[in-house]
């Protein structure tokens, strides 16, 4: 049977400091029951806020709703992302994402769980890595 989750049943929570730098808010959109694997979250980053480095076992899709953000894959230049952009991150690719300096950014993060896990968190992104000028 289909399930409808009323909007007032969804609680916004502050993202944990161990996995994020700065102020980040998360609202779950979907945590599909097995055998489905989809997880989707609305994530709001205040200016300068970002994730730690991380990987997803089955990849991740980001859809930017508003603002200006940054995205980087390990070993690649920082890239700017904006409202309307869609980013596909392949399985196992180490990356981070967040708001640009001086700008807020909101995106929907979508990924699938493998064996019950949808993310592996790693170290925080250094201020130097975050401050790198985005590639054209």
């Amino acid at each position: 049977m289909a399930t409808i989750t009323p909007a007032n049943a969804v609680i916004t929570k502050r993202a944990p400091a161990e996995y994020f730098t700065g102020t980040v808010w998360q609202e779950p959109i979907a945590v599909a029951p097995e055998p489905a694997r989809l997880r989707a979250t609305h994530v709001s980053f205040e200016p300068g806020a970002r994730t730690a480095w991380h990987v997803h076992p089955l990849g991740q899709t980001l859809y930017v709703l508003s603002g200006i953000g940054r995205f980087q894959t390990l070993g690649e230049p920082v890239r700017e992302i904006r409202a309307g952009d869609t980013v596909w991150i392949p399985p196992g690719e180490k990356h981070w994402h967040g708001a640009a300096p001086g700008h807020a950014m909101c995106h929907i993060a979508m990924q699938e769980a493998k064996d019950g896990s949808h993310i592996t968190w790693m170290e925080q992104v250094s201020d130097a890595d975050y401050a790198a000028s985005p590639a054209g």
Side-chain angles (χ1 to χ4, degrees):
M1 173 186 274
T3 303
I4 296 174
T5 302
N8 66 350
V10 178
I11 304 299
T12 301
K13 64 180 182 174
R14 187 166 179 171
E18 63 189 302
Y19 306 133
F20 295 85
T21 298
T23 303
V24 179
W25 298 97
Q26 298 175 313
E27 295 178 3
I29 295 171
V31 178
E34 291 188 8
R37 303 182 296 195
L38 177 67
R39 294 180 184 230
T41 306
H42 179 269
V43 188
S44 299
F45 297 85
E46 292 189 1
R50 59 196 180 263
T51 69
W53 289 99
H54 60 283
V55 298
H56 300 276
L58 297 174
Q60 181 181 46
T61 300
L62 305 175
Y63 179 73
V64 183
L65 297 168
S66 64
I68 302 172
R70 291 189 166 184
F71 168 82
Q72 184 179 25
T73 294
L74 184 64
E76 299 291 329
V78 172
R79 297 183 57 196
E80 188 173 89
I81 55 177
R82 294 178 172 263
D85 289 349
T86 299
V87 181
W88 161 245
I89 303 109
E93 186 169 282
K94 187 173 179 179
H95 68 284
W96 65 269
H97 37 97
H103 297 274
M105 189 268 294
C106 295
H107 66 45
I108 295 175
M110 299 164 275
Q111 56 276 323
E112 292 182 291
K114 181 177 181 182
D115 300 324
S117 175
H118 69 285
I119 191 167
T120 300
W121 289 105
M122 299 168 177
E123 71 276 10
Q124 294 287 349
V125 174
S126 72
D127 289 341
D129 283 345
Y130 175 76
S133 294

